Amino acid sequence: MISQEPKPWYLEYKIHKNRPGLLGDISSMLGLMNVNIMTINGVDLQKRGMILHIYDMEKIELIGKFLKDVPDITITAFRPPTILDRLAVRHGKYIDRDLSDKRTFRFVRDEIGLLVDFLSEIFRNSGHQLIGIRGMPRVGKTESIVAGSVSANKKWILVSSTLLRQTIRNQLVEDELDPENIFIIDGIVSTLRANENHRDLIREILRMPATKVIEHPDIFIRETEYNLDDFDYIIELRNDPDEEITYNLINTSFSSFDIS
């Protein structure tokens, strides 16, 4: 079926021999099939990813067969692009994803730009989303959430936080309760330091068809009726890949400065 509006498609292949003219051969073949290459980049080691625009979807199977016959490459992905595919092409690497729990994504501080783009893509979705962010103090959790909100053109609301000073909101004004806003909740502040009025507000927000981001989700789960299965995404942010995220030093006597 030929459409006036092109359909995006993701092509990824592993290069066995990066001979001169390899990319030109693939580009020429795609051009002959009336396929436009919109974005191209190296993806991880010895892989190349492309976002294509295809007008004739009936040619998908034929394109796939042709690509399999191109010497020196192996096709590793040929599908409608996911968020992870688009980010991989944009940044030249895949996000580290937990093999046993597909909802968990891992970043290090040097990948803040990739994390902000990932959050921005998620924040553009409407409706209920519950996102947890794990990380040690001052690693950049709240700053990444705020930057992702701005990138997604969404208003962010600090319901509880230690970004600048300890914030504990007991009520929100009408325009702040817009479901299109991004609600940021510090799981430690809201469960260990807040009063009942604040906890009532948290319950109200969690029932809204909106995006809620909870820092320190493990403490939030420990102190409330929620569990890990209630979260759509879990993000881990570390200073380096080997850093352990631990809450051993956290207790109710700590000041907000200790857990920001």
Side-chain angles (χ1 to χ4, degrees):
M1 179 183 297
I2 300 177
S3 171
Q4 293 183 347
E5 291 295 326
K7 300 294 184 182
W9 212 259
Y10 179 63
L11 166 64
E12 178 189 281
Y13 57 87
K14 184 176 182 179
I15 303 172
H16 301 295
K17 182 180 179 181
N18 196 13
R19 60 174 174 80
L22 175 60
L23 178 59
D25 290 345
I26 296 173
S27 301
S28 297
M29 187 276 290
L30 292 172
L32 290 172
M33 300 291 288
N34 195 29
V35 174
N36 294 333
I37 300 174
M38 305 308 296
T39 314
I40 182 171
N41 200 0
V43 179
D44 292 330
L45 296 177
Q46 297 300 311
K47 285 186 179 181
R48 182 171 287 132
M50 300 178 180
I51 300 295
L52 310 175
H53 274 182
I54 300 178
Y55 290 87
D56 188 351
M57 300 307 292
E58 293 181 355
K59 291 182 179 179
I60 288 292
E61 184 176 353
L62 183 59
I63 294 170
K65 289 180 179 179
F66 280 162
L67 290 171
K68 288 181 180 179
D69 292 333
V70 176
D72 304 320
I73 70 170
T74 298
I75 304 303
T76 53
F78 191 55
R79 60 186 177 231
T82 65
I83 291 176
L84 298 183
D85 294 334
R86 294 183 185 277
L87 293 177
V89 174
R90 191 181 307 166
H91 291 269
K93 64 181 299 184
Y94 268 108
I95 296 171
D96 184 10
R97 192 173 189 179
D98 191 287
L99 295 178
S100 60
D101 184 357
K102 297 296 186 180
R103 296 171 302 170
T104 300
F105 300 85
R106 300 189 180 100
F107 299 83
V108 294
R109 187 169 175 80
D110 288 345
E111 299 171 330
I112 287 289
L114 178 57
L115 172 57
V116 169
D117 272 2
F118 180 58
L119 289 172
S120 176
E121 293 288 344
I122 296 173
F123 291 167
R124 288 189 175 95
N125 298 329
S126 297
H128 169 77
Q129 293 187 110
L130 188 58
I131 303 163
I133 297 190
R134 297 175 175 137
M136 296 303 288
R138 303 174 189 83
V139 73
K141 298 183 296 298
T142 310
E143 294 89 339
S144 299
I145 301 167
V146 170
S149 303
V150 173
S151 179
N153 198 28
K154 294 292 186 75
K155 181 178 180 180
W156 47 275
I157 305 295
L158 287 175
V159 184
S160 59
S161 176
T162 56
L163 179 61
L164 300 175
R165 56 183 176 81
Q166 182 165 284
T167 299
I168 301 177
R169 301 285 301 274
N170 290 329
Q171 60 182 4
L172 300 178
V173 298
E174 184 175 351
D175 69 318
E176 290 180 317
L177 289 170
D178 187 339
E180 287 300 307
N181 293 339
I182 307 298
F183 297 92
I184 306 173
I185 300 168
D186 187 304
I188 295 174
V189 174
S190 288
T191 60
L192 300 182
R193 302 184 180 170
N195 57 31
E196 192 58 34
N197 289 334
H198 175 81
R199 295 190 183 98
D200 286 341
L201 176 62
I202 293 295
R203 295 186 189 101
E204 178 184 356
I205 291 171
L206 290 173
R207 289 193 297 266
M208 292 175 57
T211 296
K212 287 79 63 168
V213 187
I214 299 181
E215 299 180 32
H216 312 295
D218 301 288
I219 301 298
F220 187 82
I221 290 170
R222 189 187 72 188
E223 301 294 328
T224 68
E225 69 275 17
Y226 287 85
N227 58 62
L228 195 59
D229 291 337
D230 293 315
F231 286 80
D232 299 290
Y233 301 91
I234 293 292
I235 294 168
E236 297 179 352
L237 179 58
R238 293 174 169 84
N239 287 293
D240 60 76
D242 298 324
E243 182 179 50
E244 180 183 2
I245 299 175
T246 177
Y247 298 98
N248 293 337
L249 299 179
I250 294 175
N251 60 57
T252 55
S253 66
F254 277 14
S255 68
S256 62
F257 181 78
D258 293 314
I259 63 168
S260 62

